[in-house]
Amino acid sequence: MSEGTESAGERKTATVWDNFLRISMREAGVAIALVIIVLFFSATAPYFATPENFLKIFVQIAINTVLAAGMTFVILTGGIDLSVGSVLALCTVVGATIMVREDLSPWMSIPLALLACMATGAACGAINGWVCEKWKLPSFIVTLGMLNVASGLARVVSDNSTITGLPQPFVDFGNQIYFGVLPSIFLIAIIVILIGWFILRFTVFGRFVFAIGTNEEAVRLSGHNPRIFKIAVFTISGLTAGIAAMVFLLRLNVGSPIAGIGYELNAIAAVIIGGTSLSGGKGSIIGTLVGACILQVLATGLQLLGAEDNVKPIVIGTVIVLAVVLDTYRNRYLRKLEAR
Amino acid sequence: MTTDPHEVAPVLEADAAARHNQDAGPILRLQGVGKRFPGVVALRNVSFDIQRGEGHVLLGENGAGKSTLINLLGGLFPPDEGSIWFNGAPYSPASPLEAFSKGIRVVHQELNLLSNLTVAENLLFEHLPSRRGLVNYREMNRRAAELLAEVGLDISPSTVVSRLGVAQMQLIEIAKALAHESKLLVLDEPTATLTSKEVDRLFEILHRLKERKVTTLYISHRLQEIYEVGDRVTVLRDGQHVTTEPLKGLAIPDIVRLMVGRTVTDQGVFREDIKPTGEALAVEGLRLTETSPPIDFSVRNGEIVGIAGLVGSGRTEAVRAIFGADPKASGTIRVNGRPVAIASPKEAVAAGICLMTEDRKQQGLLLEMSCAENITITDLKRLSRKGLLDRAMENAASERLVAGLRVKTPTIFQKVGTFSGGNQQKVVIAKWLYRGSSVLICDEPTRGIDVGAKVEIYELMGQLAAEGKGILVVSSDLPELMSICHRILVFSNGRLAGEVPRAEFDQNRILSLAYEEYGRVRGN
Amino acid sequence: MTSFSSDGRSLSGVSRRRLLLAGAAGSLVLVSGVTPVFAEAKKPKVGLVMKSLANEFFKQMQAGAEKYAAENADKFDFKAVGMKDERDFAAQVDAVENFVTQKYDIIVVAPADSKAMVTPLAKAVKAGVAVINIDVELDQEAKKKAGIDLAFFGPDNREGALLAGTALAKDLGEGGKVVILEGNPEADNAQQRKKGFDDAVAAGKLQLLDSKTAHWETEEANTLMTNFLTKYNDIQGVMAANDSMALGVVKALDSAGLSGKIKVVGFDNIPAVQPLIKDGKMLATVEQYGAQMAAMGIEYGLRQMAGETFTGWVKTDIKLITAADL
C-alpha cells in the first residue's frame, strides 16, 4: 500500500515539474534567450548592470514595444503592417501641433492631442484594413502604400519641420519615474502589453484573431465574417502606432515627419523573435515584449561593450535569426514534453 | 538519370529480371516497429513481411496506425523502436526523397501536387527533361502525355493543376508514381475520390504493374475492392498487428471483425421509425451561373436526402452555393418555410443551415487549435459575456459533445491536427451540433473514415433526423447513400437529373441518371 | 584652417588636472574593442555621436577624429558612434544616453535634428557632461527652453552655399538659368544651403528654373536631373546641396552628352568629386574641413573641462574648391 502511495506521489511531483517546464517553456520561451543575453552583457559590458542603465533600457524599448504590440495582432491573423513607422511620424506631428497651440491650456491640449494621435493612427489602420479586405489585396502592398502616404501627410502637416515646445506638464510626465524603477513611458508600454494580452487571451475577439490566422476559410465557413476582424486588427495596429507616437513625444519632446523611419522592421523583428509565426495563428504578446527587450538590450549592450558601429548590425541580425532558430528547438522540446 | 525514355524501359526490365533472380525473400520486413506521438502510441511492436511482387492490403480503422506506418516507409519520420528491412538491407530513410530513391513510392491521401504548376511539370518534377539547365518543354509534355494516357486521363499536359478536380489530381498522383518506376508502390486510399469508372482504370494499371513484378501496398476503406488488388492482407488495430494472411477465404464480415474487434453491420442504420414532416429546407430555381440549369428540391424535417453524382457533376458546387460559401447567380432558399437571403455563410448559419465541407483539413478545422476551440468556434457568443470568454462553460460544452460523439482524445485541449480522420470528422459534427443547426448539409461525411466510425456517423445522422433536423448528404459512396437516405437526388453534369425515392432505390437506375447528361452531351 | 598643434600642447595641463579629479572619483573602467580593459591611468573619456556613416562627409569627420584621438591617446579615451540612417534621431538619443550611462566626460555631437536633440543633450549637461555641438547648430529657442547655453562649433552652411553659388553666377553671368537640388527638406543644413543658393541667385541675378529635393542621394539626384533636362532645354547651371547629389547630376549630364557644358557646383568636397573638378565636369565645391571639425570639437571639449567657457557660434573654416586648388 505504502509503496503505491509513494510512487503515486512521485508521479505527481514529476507531473508538477513537467507542468512547470511546459508552462515556462511555452510562456517564457525566448525569455531564456533574453536572460542569457542580459547575463552576458552584465559580465562583459561595463556599466551594463547598473540601475541607471536598466532604467534607460526600459525607456528605450517603450516605443518599439507599443508598436510591436499592435503588430502582433496583425501578424497573428497572417497579415503584416509596414506602415506603423510613418503612421507614428504622422501622429507625432498631429499631436505636437495640437500641444504647441498657444490658445489651449495644457489641460485641454494634452488630452486633445492624445485623442487626436489615437484617432489618426486608428484611422490609418482602418483604411489599411478596409482597402485590404475590400479589394482582397495583400496587406504587404496596401501598408507599403500607407507607409508613403502617411509619411507625405506628416511632411504636409508639419511643413517639413520638427515641432518643439511641448507644454511643460507633458514633458515632466515623460521624465517621471515611479518608485525609482518605473519610468512613466515604460509604464504605458506595459499597460498596452497587458491590455493586448488580456484581449488575446480572454476575449471572443482574441479567439477569432488566432482562429483566422490558423484557417481563415474555416472561420468563414463556420458562419463568421473574417473581414471585420481583419479590419479590426489593422485598426488596432494603427491605434498602437498612435499611442507609440505619444510615447515618442513624451520621450523626445518633438514631433517630426522623419520620426519612425525603419520602426516597422524593428516591430516586426520583436514580434517574430517573440515567437509569433509570420504565417499567423501562433504566438503571444508577452513574447513580443521579450522580443523588444532582446533587440534593445543587444543594441545598448553592444554599444556599452564598445563594439564597432559596423559590427552591431551584424550581431543583431545574427541574433534575430538565432532567436528564431532557438524557438524551433523550443517547440520541438515542448512537443516532446506534451507527449509524456 | 537518362533523359531518353526509350532507354528507361530496357534498364528497368533488366532490373526486374535481376530482382526476379534474387532469392525470394520478402521485399519489406518490419520487426517490432513502434512509434509514439504526443498523447498516443501510434504503433506498438508491429512485425510482418511483404513478399516480392504481391499485392498487399493494409487495413485498420482510423487511428489504427496505418498512416503512421506509411509515413515511416515514406521517410517522413523514423520509428522509435524496431527495424525495417527493405530489399534485404536495413531501411532507414532520412527523407521522402531518400525513400523514393531507394525504390519506395508513397501516394498520399493528401495530395502533394504543386497546384500552380502544370500537369506535366508535376508529373516529371523530380527529373525534368532538360538541356544545359533549360527545361525541354516539348519532351516534357510528350512524356507527360504518355503517362496521362496510361492512367486514362484525357487532359492536356499543360493544364494547370489547380484547375483540376480532386479525382483527376488523384490520378495524376498515381501517374507520377508510374513516371518513376518503384519497387514498392504504397497507395493510401487511392479510390476515395474516384468514380467507379476511374477505379476500374486504376485497377487495370495496378494489374499491369503486378505483371511487371512491382509490389504494392494498398490501403482502402472500401472493402469490396480490395479483392481486386490484394493477395494478402495485414490488419492493424489500435497500433498493434492483428494478422497477416491470404485474402482468399476471408469474407468482408470476417475482415471487419478483425479490424474492429467486434461484429459491425451497416444494416439497420436506416431509421424506419422516423416520419418526415414539414419543410426544413427548400431550394427553388437555384442557378450557379446565369446560364446553368435551375435546381429545385426540398428536404423535410427528419428526412435524410442523399445527393449522388460523379465528382464534378455540380453536387458540391450546389451545396456550397446554398450555404453561401460560393456566390450563386439566382435562386430562393427557404428554411422552415421562411425565405432567407444568403450572401455568405454567416447568413446561412444564422438561418440554421450548416455545411460540413468535403475537405475537413483545409476548410473545416483549425488544425493547430484545440478540440474545444474547434467546437465552440461556431457560436462564441453563447459562452461569452460582454466579449469575455467563459472558459469553464466552453470546456463543459466541449466535454459533453466529445463524450456524446465518442471522440477519442486524451483531453479536449489536444490539437485536432493530431487526430485521425474519423475523430476529426466527429469534431466537425460536434461543432455544428454545438451551434444547434436545423439543416445539416454533409459533403462526403465519411470519406477516409473507417468502418466502425462510419457506422457511428450513420447512427448519429439517424438520431439527428429523429430530432427533426433536415439532413442533406453528398457522397460518392452509393451503397452508403442507399443505406441511410429517404430519397436520393442525382446530379449529372451540373443539372439535377432526377430523384429516386427509397422504395425505388436501385444502383443501376441511379448510375444511369448520373451519366445521363454526359451521354447526351457526347451524343450531340 | 585651424591649427591644432599649438592648442594641443596646452592640453597636457588640462589632462593632468583631470587626472586628479578622476582619481578622486574612483577607478574607471575603460573600453577597448570588445573586452574591457582596466587602465592604470584615469583619462577623460570622449564620445563622438555622428550622423550616418554611409555619408562620405561624416566618414571623413570620424576618420579625422580617430586620427586625432590616436595621436593623443595618452590624453583621453575616445569612442565614436554613428547611425544607420541619418534621419533616425531616436537612435542618436539612445547613443547620447548610453554615453551618459558610461560616465563619459565629453560628448561631441553632430545632431541629426536641431530640435529633437536638445532634450537629451540637456539631460547630459545636467549630468555633468561637457557637451560640444558641432556641424549643425541646435535650435536656439529649444536650447533656451531647456535651460542650456551651448556654443556651436561649425561651418556657416549658408555662407558656403553662397560661395559656391556665387562661383557659378560668375561663370554664367547675369541671366544664367539654373536649377537647385536640395537636401532633406527637414534638415537644418539643407535649409541653410538652400538659403545660401537663393542668396547667390539673387545677388548674381540668375534665373532659377526649378528647385527640388533629391534627399542627399546620388541615385535620386540622377533621376531628378534627368527629369529636369527633359523639362527644361536651356539649363546652364546646377547647384547641388551636397557632392553625393552632384555626382548623380554629373552622371546624368554625361549620359545626355552635356557634361562640361552645364556647370555644376556641389558642397562637402568629398574625394569622389575631385577628379570631376579637375576634368572640368564640375565647377566647384565647398570644403568645410569635416575631418578637422570633430577633432576640434574634442579639443574645445577638453578646454571647456579645463574651465574655459564658450558661447555663441564659433565658426569653422570653409573654402571654395575649384580646379585651381587641386
Side-chain angles (χ1 to χ4, degrees):
Chain A
M1 272 316 270
S2 65
E3 263 178 45
T5 24
E6 214 175 280
S7 71
E10 259 170 36
R11 217 176 302 133
K12 204 169 183 185
T13 40
T15 359
V16 168
W17 175 239
D18 277 2
N19 273 340
F20 172 74
L21 269 184
R22 182 160 52 227
I23 289 165
S24 55
M25 286 295 264
R26 189 172 54 209
E27 298 297 332
V30 278
I32 297 161
L34 176 61
V35 170
I36 293 170
I37 294 169
V38 167
L39 289 178
F40 171 77
F41 283 124
S42 301
T44 56
Y47 300 106
F48 185 83
T50 56
E52 302 87 28
N53 187 50
F54 283 119
L55 269 183
K56 189 192 66 198
I57 289 176
F58 284 157
V59 170
Q60 289 171 349
I61 63 168
I63 298 171
N64 191 28
T65 302
V66 175
L67 282 180
M71 185 71 78
T72 307
F73 280 81
V74 174
I75 291 182
L76 276 175
T77 59
I80 196 97
D81 188 350
L82 299 178
S83 69
V84 292
S86 59
V87 170
L88 176 138
L90 174 61
C91 294
T92 62
V93 297
V94 167
T97 306
I98 292 173
M99 278 193 275
V100 296
R101 282 179 61 152
E102 303 276 322
D103 54 340
L104 294 173
S105 81
W107 308 115
M108 270 298 284
S109 70
I110 293 171
L112 207 62
L114 176 67
L115 274 177
C117 270
M118 287 167 58
T120 306
C124 290
I127 291 168
N128 274 334
W130 180 74
V131 172
C132 282
E133 292 306 311
K134 174 79 182 171
W135 288 283
K136 299 207 164 70
L137 296 174
S139 52
F140 191 98
I141 300 298
V142 174
T143 56
L144 190 62
M146 180 56 82
L147 184 153
N148 288 295
V149 171
S151 172
L153 281 176
R155 286 167 186 280
V156 171
V157 172
S158 66
D159 194 20
N160 271 326
S161 64
T162 306
I163 302 165
T164 54
L166 302 186
Q168 200 55 39
F170 186 78
V171 174
D172 289 341
F173 175 68
N175 291 331
Q176 194 84 43
I177 295 173
Y178 299 110
F179 317 117
V181 288
L182 199 58
S184 58
I185 66 177
F186 181 63
L187 183 68
I188 295 174
I190 291 299
I191 290 172
V192 169
I193 286 283
L194 286 178
I195 292 173
W197 174 77
F198 181 83
I199 291 173
L200 285 177
R201 183 110 180 77
F202 295 107
T203 67
V204 173
F205 178 79
R207 174 67 59 80
F208 275 114
V209 168
F210 280 99
I212 288 168
T214 304
N215 189 342
E216 186 181 339
E217 182 65 2
V219 172
R220 187 177 81 95
L221 293 177
S222 294
H224 305 289
N225 187 355
R227 289 169 161 206
I228 291 169
F229 295 100
K230 289 175 85 180
I231 293 173
V233 294
F234 279 101
T235 310
I236 288 175
S237 179
L239 180 73
T240 54
I243 297 170
M246 281 309 270
V247 174
F248 188 98
L249 290 171
L250 284 167
R251 169 149 151 66
L252 300 167
N253 304 151
V254 290
S256 165
I258 55 164
I261 287 169
Y263 283 16
E264 57 282 345
L265 294 182
N266 271 336
I268 292 167
V271 175
I272 300 305
I273 292 174
T276 297
S277 159
L278 254 187
S279 52
K282 265 185 287 186
S284 90
I285 204 164
I286 304 293
T288 297
L289 172 64
V290 176
C293 288
I294 287 180
L295 282 175
Q296 190 59 50
V297 164
L298 269 179
T300 303
L302 284 171
Q303 197 190 329
L304 296 186
L305 204 51
E308 286 297 321
D309 279 329
N310 298 335
V311 174
K312 273 192 262 173
I314 298 174
V315 175
I316 292 175
T318 309
V319 169
I320 289 176
V321 177
L322 272 182
V324 180
V325 170
L326 193 77
D327 198 49
T328 63
Y329 280 101
R330 178 178 67 95
N331 279 328
R332 219 173 286 171
Y333 182 62
L334 198 61
R335 244 175 281 148
K336 237 186 244 167
L337 273 180
E338 277 169 2
R340 265 188 220 164
Chain B
M1 185 83 188
T2 171
T3 52
D4 186 348
H6 299 293
E7 280 175 36
V8 179
V11 169
L12 282 169
E13 261 163 38
D15 194 30
R19 228 186 294 151
H20 195 63
N21 290 341
Q22 273 180 352
D23 66 313
I27 187 146
L28 188 79
R29 160 163 289 177
L30 282 84
Q31 277 178 328
V33 171
K35 180 76 196 173
R36 291 154 61 110
F37 287 115
V40 278
V41 179
L43 287 176
R44 187 181 299 155
N45 193 23
V46 171
S47 307
F48 70 96
D49 292 349
I50 296 177
Q51 302 299 331
R52 264 169 222 284
E54 76 169 333
H56 199 101
V57 178
L58 182 62
L59 296 176
E61 288 195 272
N62 276 327
K66 302 185 305 286
S67 299
T68 309
L69 188 64
I70 292 164
N71 289 336
L72 288 177
L73 296 180
L76 262 68
F77 40 68
D80 294 333
E81 52 205 34
S83 57
I84 304 176
W85 296 71
F86 179 64
N87 212 14
Y91 175 75
S92 52
S95 67
L97 187 65
E98 200 181 326
F100 162 66
S101 65
K102 283 191 171 173
I104 294 188
R105 182 79 192 186
V106 180
V107 178
H108 284 282
Q109 203 176 335
E110 290 86 28
L111 305 172
N112 292 321
L113 295 173
L114 307 164
S115 55
N116 289 327
L117 298 186
T118 65
V119 168
E121 283 164 336
N122 266 284
L123 284 174
L124 301 166
F125 189 74
E126 275 93 347
H127 297 285
L128 288 174
S130 61
R131 198 177 300 149
R132 293 193 200 101
L134 297 176
V135 175
N136 182 347
Y137 280 97
R138 202 127 151 250
E139 173 64 11
M140 183 179 76
N141 285 335
R142 194 184 61 73
R143 278 164 62 187
E146 280 179 10
L147 291 164
L148 289 174
E150 224 174 317
V151 295
L153 260 181
D154 185 20
I155 53 173
S156 158
S158 52
T159 313
V160 175
V161 164
S162 60
R163 296 179 52 195
L164 300 178
V166 183
Q168 289 171 315
M169 290 192 198
Q170 183 81 52
L171 286 176
I172 286 177
E173 280 278 7
I174 291 163
K176 198 172 167 184
L178 295 179
H180 320 276
E181 297 223 15
S182 314
K183 294 194 187 79
L184 175 60
L185 181 63
V186 182
L187 298 167
D188 188 3
E189 290 212 56
T191 57
T193 52
L194 302 189
T195 61
S196 58
K197 239 184 185 173
E198 291 161 335
V199 170
D200 289 345
R201 181 78 200 158
L202 173 69
F203 289 165
E204 222 172 274
I205 296 160
L206 293 180
H207 284 303
R208 204 142 12 105
L209 285 173
K210 198 166 181 186
E211 277 161 24
R212 288 198 225 159
K213 304 276 185 241
V214 175
T215 316
T216 50
L217 180 59
Y218 191 92
I219 293 96
S220 177
H221 286 305
R222 296 187 178 177
L223 299 181
Q224 309 91 304
E225 68 188 28
I226 62 172
Y227 295 94
E228 288 270 346
V229 291
D231 299 314
R232 292 199 306 152
V233 60
T234 290
V235 178
L236 298 177
R237 189 200 308 148
D238 295 332
Q240 283 173 301
H241 181 247
V242 176
T243 182
T244 297
E245 57 187 281
L247 203 46
K248 223 169 255 167
L250 275 178
I252 290 181
D254 302 330
I255 296 174
V256 171
R257 202 182 54 247
L258 286 169
M259 280 165 64
V260 300
R262 62 181 195 275
T263 317
V264 185
T265 66
D266 60 353
Q267 303 302 309
V269 289
F270 182 71
R271 298 275 295 261
E272 300 283 356
D273 57 315
I274 304 168
K275 295 284 168 269
T277 54
E279 176 195 86
L281 174 73
V283 176
E284 280 171 12
L286 174 70
R287 287 176 200 268
L288 304 181
T289 61
E290 299 291 349
T291 53
S292 64
I295 296 165
D296 299 82
F297 67 87
S298 68
V299 180
R300 283 174 291 169
N301 291 312
E303 188 179 36
I304 302 179
V305 175
I307 296 186
L310 307 181
V311 170
S313 63
R315 28 173 231 189
T316 294
E317 291 79 356
V319 294
R320 281 180 66 87
I322 293 168
F323 186 63
D326 293 327
K328 58 177 187 284
S330 61
T332 315
I333 289 158
R334 284 197 308 271
V335 177
N336 293 322
R338 277 199 317 277
V340 283
I342 294 174
S344 75
K346 192 174 178 170
E347 288 93 4
V349 170
I353 304 178
C354 76
L355 173 68
M356 299 175 198
T357 51
E358 174 179 36
D359 187 341
R360 286 190 288 275
K361 293 190 174 183
Q362 297 301 314
Q363 301 176 341
L365 293 168
L366 307 162
L367 293 177
E368 288 291 318
M369 296 178 78
S370 78
C371 176
E373 287 168 325
N374 268 281
I375 291 173
T376 56
I377 189 76
T378 50
D379 192 3
L380 287 169
K381 256 183 209 151
R382 183 132 60 94
L383 29 100
S384 63
R385 200 176 305 150
K386 288 181 186 158
L388 297 185
L389 285 172
D390 182 340
R391 274 172 201 262
M393 215 164 127
E394 171 172 43
N395 295 345
S398 307
E399 291 279 11
R400 208 168 49 241
L401 283 161
V402 161
L405 297 181
R406 276 184 285 163
V407 180
K408 276 181 214 152
T409 174
T411 69
I412 55 166
F413 307 111
Q414 206 76 18
K415 284 180 188 169
V416 293
T418 65
F419 287 13
S420 69
N423 275 322
Q424 288 183 346
Q425 186 67 358
K426 285 183 186 173
V427 173
V428 171
I429 296 175
K431 76 182 225 186
W432 291 117
L433 291 185
Y434 173 72
R435 173 74 209 199
S437 310
S438 58
V439 176
L440 280 72
I441 306 175
C442 317
D443 196 356
E444 298 282 6
T446 61
R447 171 192 291 176
I449 289 180
D450 61 73
V451 182
K454 266 185 189 175
V455 173
E456 280 185 74
I457 285 171
Y458 298 151
E459 283 169 356
L460 205 58
M461 284 181 179
Q463 205 178 308
L464 293 169
E467 286 169 20
K469 297 186 193 301
I471 299 176
L472 196 55
V473 186
V474 177
S475 177
S476 295
D477 188 344
L478 205 44
E480 167 177 294
L481 288 181
M482 288 167 61
S483 72
I484 60 171
C485 296
H486 292 86
R487 277 186 294 148
I488 294 178
L489 308 170
V490 188
F491 275 67
S492 184
N493 202 15
R495 202 173 70 88
L496 180 52
E499 182 186 320
V500 185
R502 186 167 184 89
E504 295 166 31
F505 276 1
D506 172 54
Q507 203 149 351
N508 285 332
R509 180 170 168 205
I510 294 169
L511 280 177
S512 62
L513 276 172
Y515 280 104
E516 193 179 79
E517 287 294 317
Y518 299 93
R520 201 177 292 166
V521 171
R522 282 197 199 109
N524 290 348
Chain C
M1 244 196 98
T2 320
S3 158
F4 294 119
S5 50
S6 56
D7 295 332
R9 242 172 271 128
S10 69
L11 282 178
S12 55
V14 178
S15 305
R16 236 173 280 126
R17 206 178 313 166
R18 178 68 197 153
L19 274 175
L20 292 173
L21 277 175
S27 70
L28 286 173
V29 182
L30 301 176
V31 181
S32 114
V34 285
T35 30
V37 175
F38 293 91
E40 51 306 329
K42 282 99 187 173
K43 295 177 282 185
K45 296 198 288 183
V46 179
L48 173 61
V49 179
M50 305 281 290
K51 290 208 244 171
S52 168
L53 295 184
N55 185 325
E56 192 71 34
F57 174 70
F58 291 106
K59 231 183 280 175
Q60 284 180 32
M61 188 187 278
Q62 179 160 355
E66 270 162 3
K67 185 159 165 276
Y68 179 70
E71 285 163 2
N72 298 283
D74 55 325
K75 304 196 183 91
F76 63 92
D77 286 298
F78 175 73
K79 176 77 196 144
V81 178
M83 315 291 98
K84 258 191 298 186
D85 187 313
E86 77 173 74
R87 293 168 295 177
D88 186 3
F89 56 81
Q92 249 197 357
V93 174
D94 288 355
V96 169
E97 289 175 352
N98 285 340
F99 277 136
V100 175
T101 308
Q102 288 169 285
K103 309 205 185 318
Y104 268 62
D105 305 287
I106 298 169
I107 294 176
V108 178
V109 58
D113 186 294
S114 64
K115 292 170 181 166
M117 291 308 293
V118 171
T119 314
L121 288 173
K123 281 181 194 164
V125 168
K126 278 161 199 161
V129 180
V131 173
I132 302 297
N133 172 207
I134 59 166
D135 184 43
V136 168
E137 190 182 8
L138 291 168
D139 189 68
Q140 300 278 8
E141 209 169 309
K143 276 194 282 191
K144 211 175 288 167
K145 220 166 216 170
I148 51 168
D149 181 24
L150 292 179
F152 169 56
F153 307 88
D156 188 337
N157 277 293
R158 188 171 180 170
E159 178 68 30
L162 178 62
L163 279 178
T166 309
L168 183 67
K170 249 183 225 158
D171 192 85
L172 297 179
E174 271 185 30
K177 289 171 179 163
V178 297
V179 290
I180 296 176
L181 276 75
E182 303 165 29
N184 279 347
E186 69 285 337
D188 306 273
N189 51 352
Q191 289 162 4
Q192 291 299 321
R193 287 179 197 180
K194 164 85 167 110
K195 280 181 193 151
F197 284 146
D198 286 342
D199 294 346
V201 167
K205 300 213 168 61
L206 298 174
Q207 188 186 342
L208 181 61
L209 294 174
D210 213 333
S211 177
K212 289 257 156 52
T213 177
H215 298 103
W216 301 127
E217 303 278 348
T218 305
E219 194 265 328
E220 207 179 326
N222 185 276
T223 310
L224 181 59
M225 191 62 216
T226 310
N227 294 344
F228 278 160
L229 289 174
T230 316
K231 200 168 163 191
Y232 311 102
N233 50 17
D234 50 356
I235 299 173
Q236 293 170 286
V238 182
M239 301 180 190
N242 77 349
D243 281 348
S244 296
M245 292 193 291
L247 285 176
V249 168
V250 170
K251 190 77 200 62
L253 297 180
D254 271 345
S255 307
L258 293 167
S259 68
K261 292 178 191 137
I262 295 180
K263 307 293 177 187
V264 182
V265 294
F267 206 110
D268 289 348
N269 191 25
I270 65 175
V273 300
Q274 288 164 5
L276 299 180
I277 295 176
K278 269 187 213 159
D279 296 350
K281 289 182 173 182
M282 260 180 83
L283 183 65
T285 186
V286 178
E287 170 68 63
Q288 45 174 337
Y289 301 103
Q292 282 92 346
M293 200 189 296
M296 196 185 70
I298 297 169
E299 187 204 325
Y300 280 119
L302 293 167
R303 277 164 66 179
Q304 191 171 314
M305 267 180 56
E308 281 188 58
T309 48
F310 304 97
T311 48
W313 184 355
V314 182
K315 279 190 192 178
T316 55
D317 297 345
I318 45 173
K319 183 170 190 271
L320 187 74
I321 303 291
T322 58
D325 301 287
L326 296 167

